[in-house]
């Protein structure tokens, strides 16, 4: 009985279907609705960045980074990497700084 009613309703609505012109109304409404996912994404990004900054400061991250760079430089000098071309080192540093800047700027 229910299946028969469903079929009758479907056929009735299919026969009497009318298109209503909205002249872009739906698009304008959707454009003015607040974007909840974007807002949540910004809040989550801000929270994670703040947490990372607090942990970096709490665990003395700057000193750890400097120590790691010093050890890396000393190891490179000891293993003979001091004979590298200075232009290559400058290019590598500039490229790494550029990629680091791009990564940080995409977080904002």
């Amino acid at each position: 009985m229910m299946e028969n009613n469903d079929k009758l309703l479907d056929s009735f609505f299919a026969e009497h279907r009318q298109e209503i012109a909205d002249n872009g109304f739906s698009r304008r409404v959707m454009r003015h609705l607040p974007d909840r996912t974007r807002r949540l994404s910004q809040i989550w990004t801000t929270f994670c960045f703040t947490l990372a900054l607090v942990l970096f400061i709490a665990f003395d991250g700057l000193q750890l980074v400097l120590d790691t760079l010093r050890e890396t430089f000393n190891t490179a000098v000891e293993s003979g990497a001091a004979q590298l071309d200075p232009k290559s080192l400058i290019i590598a540093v500039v490229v790494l700084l550029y990629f680091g800047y791009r990564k940080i700027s995409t977080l904002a």
Side-chain angles (χ1 to χ4, degrees):
M1 182 78 172
M2 292 296 285
E3 291 176 15
N4 191 23
N5 287 342
D6 288 342
K7 289 179 184 178
L8 288 173
L9 282 173
D10 287 340
S11 66
F12 174 79
F13 284 121
E15 292 172 9
H16 295 88
R17 182 181 176 118
Q18 295 179 358
E19 292 292 328
I20 300 173
D22 68 351
N23 297 326
F25 175 76
S26 300
R27 190 171 3 119
R28 288 191 308 270
V29 168
M30 292 303 289
R31 204 175 1 192
H32 286 91
L33 290 175
D35 190 6
R36 184 170 187 242
T37 57
R38 180 171 166 81
R39 194 170 358 121
L40 286 174
S41 174
Q42 289 175 339
I43 291 170
W44 181 247
T45 301
T46 304
F47 170 75
C48 289
F49 183 75
T50 305
L51 180 64
L53 187 64
V54 167
L55 290 174
F56 186 79
I57 292 171
F59 291 120
D60 200 21
L62 184 61
Q63 187 62 41
L64 292 172
V65 169
L66 291 175
D67 290 343
T68 302
L69 288 175
R70 187 178 310 114
E71 288 178 26
T72 303
F73 180 73
N74 288 338
T75 304
V77 168
E78 290 171 1
S79 67
Q83 298 173 0
L84 288 176
D85 182 25
K87 286 182 184 179
S88 299
L89 291 175
I90 291 172
I91 291 172
V93 167
V94 168
V95 168
L96 288 174
L97 288 175
Y98 173 75
F99 283 135
Y101 171 75
R102 289 282 302 217
K103 186 64 176 175
I104 289 172
S105 66
T106 58
L107 295 176

